[in-house]
Amino acid sequence: MRVPNGRRARILSALAVTMVLPLAGGQAATAVASPVHAAPVQAAPLRAQADAGATVSAVDWITDRRVAVWVNSPSMGVPIQVQLLLARDWNKNPQATFPSVWMLDGMRATDTENGWTAETDAESWFADKNVNVVLPVGGQSSFYSDWAEQNNGRNYKWETFLTKELPPILERDWRSNQTRAVAGLSMGGTAAMTLSARNPGFFRFAGSFSGILSTTTLGMPQAIGYAMQDAGGFDAGAMWGVPSSELWAQHDPYVLAEKLKGMSLYVSSGSGTAGPYDQQSDIPGISTNYAGMGLEILSRLTSQTFATKLNKLGIPASINYRPSGTHSWQYWQFELRQAWPQIATALGVEVDKPACSVGGNIGGTASANGWLGDCLTSEYDVAGGRAQDFRFGRIFSSDGGTHVVAGAIGGAYAANGGPAGALGMPLSGELGTPDGRGRYNSFRNGMVYWTPQTGAHAVRGAILDEWARQGYEGGPLGYPLRDEVQTPNKPGAVQGFEIGAMYFSPDTGTHAVMGKIMEKYGQLGWENGALGFAKTNEVPVRDGGRFTEFQGGNIYWSPATGAWSILNGQIFDAWKSVGYENGRLGYVTSDQFDIPGGVQQNFQNGFVTVRDGVVQIVP
């Protein structure tokens, strides 16, 4: 990335304290201060603690094999998003469990998506690997550690979350076993080694791509502190205290190196000079990525120091010093590929996908949809037919035909149980909607619709029947905005759409509630309030008005008066007796409210009161 000249100077100044002349052979060394000796670190149990207390607040199937899970973290006090790339055989072998590869982000991690999917092709590349990939989202400048103090609005307890709170959820809900690997870039590379050393037995493999692997050597705490200020305004003192504190040593891969015995280790870094993925500056060998140049030099120096320590301890590791390259994603994508055979061996999975072939009905559909990529599995049985997985989607074959289901629609299909779920087997491939805005697939028992604005959602059953009668997405409700859910306290279901919601109950059938009437309905407690479920769709009345009838009354809206409820009972009967909105009182202008000795409701041209059972219409 480009940085202003002033900032560039400060970065290089912060790095200068660690740089010395190159040694023979082109390698470099660092001036290493005597490190602070770490106090003993209590090892985490090999089995995840079942009582960690974390719960899942939401799940979003992005595709049929990429899922976002929001985990309520007791230690951090907020929901943490973790995205998963599910193993190659996830669909084919629904009873299998899988090893996992945890991919950690860099210092500028965002709260929306892990950098490995945002900046590299990791999603498609991992598609043929038989591992679950765990992608924590967030943690900018955190080093994935438990901080000493809250800072910058964050209560970072990442080590507790990752090693104690998250694993039970992965094992219980996402068919992950306890065979794990961890790798990361930059800050994530540091954390990969630190978490592994502090939690012996938790990971079998640890990989650092351009990590800072000696955090307490001369000048390093200051350089890390500057980088954390630059990446989000975080205070390194809130993380581990003053540089001389034991907490710094307890999170230094160099100090903790002995605790990595028995692990499969991979360390790589570039040299800082311009490489094949860099844009050259006017100075030969110097990239325009000035910050990335300096950070990679830091990584190279500390990685060499760390590797020297491993060698002295007799701990084998794969050490890779690249002849060029700066601190940037293209190089880390390359390193992931280089490290994969070692990761696979450590986890006990095959390096390459097994051979598969494509034929029959599925073969013909695959040939017509070349964008699906190569096959990942052989054909296998599913409820109602056969299926085969490809790099970018799945093909299903049944008596309803042979059809592709992929992308976000594939995610919604998986969220609804796939072929064995409520939707059943597909009856069409992905088709465009008449308005050109969305896409959909038809299934035996429903449909899935997608737009960029609304995402992908299934519509089925009585709600689909009524939505179709009203004109599908071309009708008054527009596209589905939510999945169908059961109403919490009464028998029924509701599904949100762009312009309102569709409600179903056994007693009232299926009806739309929309716009300002929907807004008023919500204020009154939805179906749990006095109105209950809708009994009609919106009905047009005079002067552009509308009303919807409910079990317990009506909601009326007009441009002049807004939306108000009128409950079944004496006031409603009195209004009816003088002609509803067409009579002398006109439209409702308030909800019913209490008065001394009774209740009152206001209208455009008067009001109705009920006191001691006596009704009065004024005027």
Side-chain angles (χ1 to χ4, degrees), residues 500-590:
M502 193 79 80
Y503 278 84
F504 162 82
S505 82
D507 295 332
T508 60
T510 308
H511 303 288
V513 185
M514 300 187 296
K516 292 297 183 180
I517 290 178
M518 178 78 170
E519 185 178 311
K520 172 56 70 173
Y521 186 47
Q523 293 170 6
L524 298 173
W526 311 109
E527 75 281 354
N528 296 312
L531 288 170
F533 283 99
K535 294 177 65 177
T536 68
N537 296 311
E538 280 192 6
V539 178
V541 287
R542 73 171 180 88
D543 298 335
R546 299 282 192 276
F547 79 88
T548 300
E549 182 181 356
F550 296 84
Q551 289 172 302
N554 292 2
I555 295 178
Y556 276 78
W557 171 88
S558 80
T561 59
W564 303 99
S565 68
I566 181 164
L567 301 178
N568 293 339
Q570 290 176 292
I571 290 179
F572 186 89
D573 291 342
W575 186 49
K576 174 182 177 182
S577 73
V578 295
Y580 298 113
E581 73 282 355
N582 297 309
R584 72 175 194 255
L585 288 175
Y587 276 104
V588 181
T589 59
S590 79

Side-chain angles (χ1 to χ4, degrees), residues 477-520:
L477 284 171
Y479 284 89
L481 199 60
R482 301 283 186 272
D483 294 329
E484 178 185 316
V485 296
Q486 297 300 301
T487 47
N489 300 312
K490 295 180 178 180
V494 60
Q495 182 161 13
F497 290 79
E498 290 179 294
I499 312 299
M502 193 79 80
Y503 278 84
F504 162 82
S505 82
D507 295 332
T508 60
T510 308
H511 303 288
V513 185
M514 300 187 296
K516 292 297 183 180
I517 290 178
M518 178 78 170
E519 185 178 311
K520 172 56 70 173

Side-chain angles (χ1 to χ4, degrees), residues 170-203:
L170 298 178
E171 293 167 22
R172 182 192 69 219
D173 299 340
W174 299 101
R175 294 160 49 197
S176 293
N177 57 39
Q178 295 175 32
T179 302
R180 311 179 188 94
V182 62
L185 69 304
S186 190
M187 174 190 85
T190 309
M193 295 301 172
T194 303
L195 289 170
S196 298
R198 289 172 57 85
N199 300 275
F202 192 82
F203 296 111

Side-chain angles (χ1 to χ4, degrees), residues 271-481:
S271 68
T273 59
Y277 302 117
D278 288 297
Q279 181 177 345
Q280 294 273 354
S281 72
D282 295 335
I283 305 172
I286 302 298
S287 165
T288 56
N289 181 8
Y290 299 107
M293 177 188 73
L295 289 169
E296 198 64 18
I297 291 171
L298 271 186
S299 170
R300 179 64 155 259
L301 297 173
T302 61
S303 294
Q304 288 174 326
T305 301
F306 177 72
T308 300
K309 177 77 172 287
L310 292 179
N311 187 50
K312 289 180 179 178
L313 293 170
I315 299 175
S318 176
I319 308 296
N320 301 276
Y321 300 135
R322 305 302 178 189
S324 63
T326 59
H327 214 67
S328 50
W329 279 104
Q330 294 96 324
Y331 295 104
W332 302 323
Q333 177 174 281
F334 166 81
E335 291 297 345
L336 174 59
R337 284 164 166 70
Q338 302 309 301
W340 170 248
Q342 186 175 335
I343 297 172
T345 300
L347 296 179
V349 299
E350 61 275 307
V351 175
D352 300 314
K353 70 170 185 177
C356 59
S357 59
V358 182
N361 292 336
I362 288 179
T365 300
S367 297
N369 294 273
W371 56 268
L372 281 169
D374 54 318
C375 65
L376 303 182
T377 68
S378 58
E379 284 189 30
Y380 55 92
D381 290 329
V382 294
R386 301 274 287 171
Q388 189 166 8
D389 292 9
F390 294 78
R391 193 166 297 271
F392 299 106
R394 303 169 76 187
I395 297 178
F396 295 89
S397 185
S398 71
D399 58 8
T402 303
H403 305 291
V404 174
V405 184
I409 290 177
Y413 186 45
N416 280 272
L423 293 170
M425 289 290 278
L427 298 181
S428 79
E430 187 175 300
L431 302 170
T433 55
D435 63 6
R437 182 181 161 204
R439 310 284 292 175
Y440 71 94
N441 276 64
S442 294
F443 297 86
R444 194 173 298 277
N445 302 313
M447 307 176 81
V448 175
Y449 276 78
W450 170 89
T451 75
Q453 296 78 25
T454 61
H457 302 284
V459 191
R460 59 188 180 84
I463 289 178
L464 174 59
D465 292 342
E466 179 60 22
W467 187 56
R469 191 191 67 78
Q470 294 184 19
Y472 295 103
E473 74 282 355
L477 284 171
Y479 284 89
L481 199 60

Side-chain angles (χ1 to χ4, degrees), residues 70-400:
W70 278 265
V71 179
N72 292 320
S73 167
S75 63
M76 289 200 262
V78 294
I80 303 297
Q81 184 188 171
V82 177
Q83 291 197 9
L84 306 174
L85 306 179
L86 301 175
R88 180 193 68 227
D89 291 343
W90 176 269
N91 295 314
K92 182 180 179 182
N93 297 323
Q95 305 306 315
T97 63
F98 302 95
S100 55
V101 179
W102 300 39
M103 300 299 295
L104 303 182
D105 211 336
M107 191 166 286
R108 296 185 183 275
T110 72
D111 291 332
T112 55
E113 184 178 356
N114 186 292
W116 283 103
T117 51
E119 303 290 346
T120 78
D121 65 353
E123 181 177 5
S124 61
W125 185 79
F126 269 116
D128 63 8
K129 314 297 188 289
N130 217 20
V131 295
N132 287 340
V133 181
V134 179
L135 298 154
V137 176
Q140 184 182 39
S141 289
S142 69
F143 283 86
Y144 294 102
S145 63
D146 286 2
W147 282 34
E149 301 174 6
Q150 295 186 27
N151 181 246
N152 207 10
R154 305 298 177 99
N155 178 35
Y156 279 158
K157 299 293 179 185
W158 276 98
E159 182 174 355
T160 295
F161 175 75
L162 292 174
T163 63
K164 294 181 173 60
E165 295 172 358
L166 179 61
I169 290 169
L170 298 178
E171 293 167 22
R172 182 192 69 219
D173 299 340
W174 299 101
R175 294 160 49 197
S176 293
N177 57 39
Q178 295 175 32
T179 302
R180 311 179 188 94
V182 62
L185 69 304
S186 190
M187 174 190 85
T190 309
M193 295 301 172
T194 303
L195 289 170
S196 298
R198 289 172 57 85
N199 300 275
F202 192 82
F203 296 111
R204 291 190 180 183
F205 168 95
S208 169
F209 312 146
S210 304
I212 305 300
L213 300 183
S214 179
T215 59
T216 58
T217 51
L218 180 64
M220 280 309 305
Q222 291 75 22
I224 289 172
Y226 173 79
M228 290 171 62
Q229 276 290 328
D230 193 54
F234 289 90
D235 180 3
M239 181 169 67
W240 299 327
V242 298
S244 59
S245 73
E246 286 189 346
L247 277 178
W248 275 85
Q250 289 175 3
H251 293 85
D252 186 343
Y254 178 88
V255 175
L256 300 174
E258 189 171 5
K259 297 179 180 295
L260 296 170
K261 283 183 177 178
M263 290 192 65
S264 177
L265 302 175
Y266 184 99
V267 176
S268 68
S269 66
S271 68
T273 59
Y277 302 117
D278 288 297
Q279 181 177 345
Q280 294 273 354
S281 72
D282 295 335
I283 305 172
I286 302 298
S287 165
T288 56
N289 181 8
Y290 299 107
M293 177 188 73
L295 289 169
E296 198 64 18
I297 291 171
L298 271 186
S299 170
R300 179 64 155 259
L301 297 173
T302 61
S303 294
Q304 288 174 326
T305 301
F306 177 72
T308 300
K309 177 77 172 287
L310 292 179
N311 187 50
K312 289 180 179 178
L313 293 170
I315 299 175
S318 176
I319 308 296
N320 301 276
Y321 300 135
R322 305 302 178 189
S324 63
T326 59
H327 214 67
S328 50
W329 279 104
Q330 294 96 324
Y331 295 104
W332 302 323
Q333 177 174 281
F334 166 81
E335 291 297 345
L336 174 59
R337 284 164 166 70
Q338 302 309 301
W340 170 248
Q342 186 175 335
I343 297 172
T345 300
L347 296 179
V349 299
E350 61 275 307
V351 175
D352 300 314
K353 70 170 185 177
C356 59
S357 59
V358 182
N361 292 336
I362 288 179
T365 300
S367 297
N369 294 273
W371 56 268
L372 281 169
D374 54 318
C375 65
L376 303 182
T377 68
S378 58
E379 284 189 30
Y380 55 92
D381 290 329
V382 294
R386 301 274 287 171
Q388 189 166 8
D389 292 9
F390 294 78
R391 193 166 297 271
F392 299 106
R394 303 169 76 187
I395 297 178
F396 295 89
S397 185
S398 71
D399 58 8

